Amino acid sequence: MDFSSLIRTFVLVKEKWIILIVGLLLLTGCRQKEQHTFTDELLLPMTPVKDQGKSQLCWAYAMLATIETEHLLRGDSVNLSAVYIGRMLRGEREGKNAERAMGQTLLNMIQKYGIVPYDVLPDDATDELPTPKWVFMLGARYTPWEFAHSVCAPDEYLGLTCFPDSPYYKKIEVPVPDNWERNRLLNVPLDTLRKHIDNALRQRHPVCWESRGHAMCIVGMARDENQRPYYIMKNSWGPRGPHDGLVYMSVRKMWKDMIALYLTKDAFTYSASK
C-alpha cells in the first residue's frame, strides 16, 4: 500500500469513528431527555404558546402570559401583543439596548402606552404592519391605554425578590443590568418567598419568573418518576419540544436562578394566610 492510500484509509477509519461517537452521544442525549416521566399535580389554563423569535422580549412574553392566565381563571379571555410593547420600548430607548428589561418594565409600559390584542400585532408582525391607534372589542372602541386598564389595573401586581444582604420586607432596587429603570421590589426571605409562591400556585394563580438570562410564566407543578418536584413553565420559543413549548424545571434550579417574581397582590396576600 502506497503512502497516499494509507492516508485515505486512515481518514476513512477516523471518519467512521467520529460518526460512531457522535451517534452514541446523540443516543445518550436522547435517553437522558426521555428518562423523566412527569406527573402533573397542577396545570393552569393558558393562551397558546407564543414565539419571541430573535427578540429579547422574554420578560414581556412572560409577564403577559401571567396576565393572560390570571384572566382565564377569572372567566375572561385576553391574548396580548408583546410586539406592541417592543415597539413602544424601542421608540423610547432609541440607540440603546432597547429590548432587555424586567417584568416590572412590562407593567410600567402598559400603564404608560397601553396594550393591544395579539391578533392585531402577532409575533410575526413586520415593520410594515402599522401600530394600531385603536382597539375594537365587543363593538366598542378603546385607545390602547384604555384597553390596558381593563386588562391590568395600576399596582395590581407585586414584584418580589430575595437578596439576603439587603433588609427584608422592604422594597429594594434589584442590582441587575436589566433593571435600568431602577425598579424596587419587595425583598423577602427565601423560605418565606417559596411558601408564598407555592401557596399562590396551589390557589390557582400564575407567577412570572425571571432569572439573569430568561423569563417564563409558572403555570403548574409536577413530579418526576422519583417524586422530585418541578415547576411547569410556559416558555416563549413557540410550541416546540416534547412538551409543546412548556418547560419542566426542577424546583432546585428555579430557586437557584431566580432574580424576580411577579404575582397579583391578592394572590400574595391570600397565600400569606395559608
Side-chain angles (χ1 to χ4, degrees):
M1 181 182 294
D2 59 24
F3 184 74
S4 60
S5 298
L6 183 63
I7 292 296
R8 284 196 297 271
T9 301
F10 174 76
V11 170
L12 288 172
V13 171
K14 184 179 179 181
E15 287 178 349
K16 288 180 180 179
W17 272 106
I18 290 172
I19 291 171
L20 177 61
I21 292 168
V22 170
L24 289 172
L25 288 173
L26 288 173
L27 285 173
T28 303
C30 289
R31 285 172 185 159
Q32 287 177 342
K33 289 179 181 178
E34 293 172 358
Q35 68 179 350
H36 290 306
T37 301
F38 296 107
T39 300
D40 295 349
E41 295 183 335
L42 166 70
L43 184 60
L44 302 178
M46 67 197 86
T47 55
V49 174
K50 299 181 178 67
D51 191 346
Q52 69 184 75
K54 296 181 180 179
S55 79
Q56 296 179 306
L57 296 172
C58 60
W59 50 273
Y61 281 90
M63 195 67 238
L64 289 177
T66 305
I67 295 171
E68 290 165 357
T69 287
E70 190 70 44
H71 272 264
L72 286 172
L73 290 164
R74 298 173 188 174
D76 189 15
S77 179
V78 293
N79 199 7
L80 305 169
S81 172
V83 172
Y84 175 83
I85 296 299
R87 288 187 181 185
M88 296 300 105
L89 194 59
R90 285 192 294 273
E92 187 175 281
R93 288 175 56 79
E94 187 175 354
K96 300 179 182 179
N97 186 2
E99 292 189 340
R100 292 298 299 266
M102 297 181 69
Q104 186 63 47
T105 305
L106 182 281
L107 297 171
N108 298 341
M109 292 292 289
I110 65 174
Q111 297 304 324
K112 188 174 182 179
Y113 297 105
I115 192 67
V116 300
Y118 176 83
D119 290 343
V120 177
L121 277 181
D123 293 337
D124 58 357
T126 63
D127 291 339
E128 286 71 34
L129 186 63
T131 302
K133 295 182 178 180
W134 302 101
V135 174
F136 296 92
M137 189 71 62
L138 300 175
R141 187 179 75 171
Y142 305 90
T143 65
W145 186 82
E146 290 170 335
F147 178 63
H149 279 249
S150 71
V151 167
C152 182
D155 298 324
E156 181 177 348
Y157 282 81
L158 178 65
L160 305 168
T161 191
C162 180
F163 282 87
D165 294 336
S166 298
Y168 286 132
Y169 301 108
K170 294 184 180 295
K171 287 195 173 184
I172 64 168
E173 186 178 311
V174 180
V176 295
D178 289 348
N179 190 22
W180 47 265
E181 290 183 301
R182 306 186 72 173
N183 291 305
R184 298 174 69 83
L185 278 62
L186 184 65
N187 194 32
V188 180
L190 188 61
D191 288 347
T192 303
L193 182 55
R194 179 169 173 173
K195 289 177 182 177
H196 274 293
I197 296 307
D198 287 355
N199 285 338
L201 288 166
R202 290 189 179 103
Q203 296 302 318
R204 299 181 65 77
H205 290 282
V207 178
C208 179
W209 170 86
E210 285 187 83
S211 69
R212 291 183 184 272
H214 196 43
M216 294 185 282
C217 174
I218 309 177
V219 292
M221 307 171 82
R223 290 188 179 271
D224 67 11
E225 69 283 356
N226 296 313
Q227 295 302 304
R228 289 175 296 208
Y230 287 74
Y231 292 105
I232 307 174
M233 310 284 209
K234 181 185 180 185
N235 205 355
S236 52
W237 295 344
R240 301 187 181 95
H243 306 293
D244 298 323
L246 299 182
V247 173
Y248 285 73
M249 181 179 291
S250 70
V251 166
R252 180 178 178 277
K253 179 173 175 56
M254 185 285 229
W255 288 107
K256 176 177 176 291
D257 294 348
M258 185 275 301
I259 294 294
L261 297 163
Y262 302 87
L263 71 167
T264 65
K265 288 183 177 180
D266 287 345
F268 180 81
T269 302
Y270 187 80
S271 69
S273 65
K274 298 300 175 182

